[in-house]
Amino acid sequence: MAVDPFLKKYQAKSLAKGVVVIVHGAMEHQGRYQWLAEKWNAKGYHVVMGDLVGQGENRGEKPGHIDSFQQYIQQVSSWVDEANRYGLPVFLLGHSMGGLIVIRVLELSTLPIAGVLLSSPCVALAHKPSLPLDLISRAINRVKPDLLIESGITPTLATRNQAVITADQQDDLMISKVSVRWYRELTNAMGLAFEQITRFMPVPLLVMQGGNDLIVDQVAVGNWVKACPITDKAFCLLPGYYHEIFNEPERETVFIQALAFVEVVLQKRELL
């Protein structure tokens, strides 16, 4: 498989202990995770991340559009393959829709990874469209799947960090519209995340969820974690945090928790 041209690698500052594959969320891009990549690099971890199809520098001619959610699944699977070239333990970190992609990847395949971190994974929306709108989207999906619609998601809904909000408002790579097909594929993937949960790959799992998330349904996230059949799992609810926990004013604390999870997993692997 050809290397994803939009994939980027960030090298550890010292002898590397592992690799973290970061999967960004909807309507954003990997460039927003520079701070997080630098934090991992400083602690001895390479970072691999790229722009998902239809987003960031990978927008192409149809920003915000996909033909199938399978495109995301194949793309992220290829990122994991590339990360494994380092010959080190690989961790998958998915935020929001990126978390949903990671879930679907691990429900559909067995990959050589050491652990998974999910940040406010999009297994259900906090505010669902009305039934009439949902039915209309189904009809449009058949005749005009690439029709773009406003997502309704703004930077102020995602984080309390004013510096991040200002940067996002000036970021030309951010998009505000998504296609009807994209919405239908997202909706289908969210349903499958629950329906096929028993297939989830049995690897150490940490799910971190903002307690004041205005985008993703935090109750649904907790229910997904409870239903996940694996034994080595943890759910961390962060009271008062908005959706983008790695962009919140308290993000240093969030990173410390994520790092602790990864290092404990590595310590356990050394004991085996």
Side-chain angles (χ1 to χ4, degrees):
M1 182 182 295
V3 176
D4 187 334
F6 298 97
L7 188 66
K8 297 183 181 181
K9 300 177 182 178
Y10 300 84
Q11 305 297 317
K13 303 302 181 184
S14 56
L15 183 64
K17 297 178 282 186
V19 188
V20 179
V21 178
I22 298 177
V23 187
H24 70 77
M27 295 169 287
E28 55 164 349
H29 56 92
Q30 65 86 23
R32 298 184 71 243
Y33 293 81
Q34 291 293 317
W35 174 85
L36 186 55
E38 290 172 2
K39 297 295 289 187
W40 285 115
N41 289 165
K43 295 299 182 179
Y45 295 87
H46 299 314
V47 171
V48 172
M49 58 184 181
D51 286 343
L52 293 167
V53 175
Q55 304 190 46
E57 294 180 346
N58 195 9
R59 288 179 293 180
E61 297 179 356
K62 296 181 178 180
H65 176 71
I66 54 172
D67 294 319
S68 168
F69 205 82
Q70 188 65 28
Q71 291 174 268
Y72 290 150
I73 293 170
Q74 292 174 347
Q75 189 176 19
V76 171
S77 295
S78 74
W79 295 355
V80 173
D81 288 343
E82 194 63 26
N84 271 297
R85 291 181 180 273
Y86 284 109
L88 296 167
V90 172
F91 293 83
L92 263 173
L93 193 168
H95 169 68
S96 192
M97 184 186 73
L100 176 61
I101 296 169
V102 169
I103 288 172
R104 293 298 295 136
V105 166
L106 299 183
E107 287 177 342
L108 294 171
S109 59
T110 300
L111 298 178
I113 59 172
V116 181
L117 300 92
L118 302 179
S119 159
S120 302
C122 186
V123 295
L125 298 174
H127 302 286
K128 303 175 181 63
S130 65
L131 180 58
L133 285 177
D134 186 69
L135 292 174
I136 290 172
S137 72
R138 293 174 186 269
I140 295 175
N141 187 40
R142 298 190 187 97
V143 296
K144 186 65 175 175
D146 59 354
L147 177 68
L148 295 177
I149 54 177
E150 286 287 348
S151 69
I153 296 176
T154 63
T156 55
L157 292 177
T159 180
R160 296 172 291 135
N161 189 329
Q162 189 56 53
V164 172
I165 292 171
T166 300
D168 286 350
Q169 291 170 338
Q170 300 170 354
D171 190 342
D172 292 336
L173 290 180
M174 298 287 283
I175 60 176
S176 62
K177 295 182 178 181
V178 290
S179 72
V180 172
R181 172 64 54 81
W182 178 91
Y183 169 70
R184 293 308 324 167
E185 289 293 304
L186 178 76
T187 300
N188 184 57
M190 289 190 293
L192 290 172
F194 282 92
E195 291 174 20
Q196 299 183 356
I197 196 169
T198 57
R199 302 182 185 181
F200 192 82
M201 184 178 163
V203 290
L205 169 69
L206 171 64
V207 179
M208 306 178 77
Q209 172 62 47
N212 196 20
D213 196 325
L214 303 176
I215 297 174
V216 162
D217 184 343
Q218 62 171 286
V219 174
V221 173
N223 289 339
W224 185 89
V225 176
K226 289 179 183 178
C228 188
I230 66 175
T231 56
D232 192 353
K233 62 182 178 180
F235 178 56
C236 179
L237 184 65
L238 303 169
Y241 286 45
Y242 275 23
H243 183 60
E244 294 187 344
I245 60 173
F246 284 107
N247 274 332
E248 286 289 79
E250 304 87 353
R251 63 185 184 178
E252 291 280 352
T253 300
V254 177
F255 174 73
I256 290 172
Q257 290 177 287
L259 175 65
F261 165 77
V262 167
E263 305 231 304
V264 166
V265 171
L266 291 183
Q267 289 171 8
K268 289 180 178 179
R269 287 170 63 93
E270 291 177 358
L271 296 175
L272 295 177

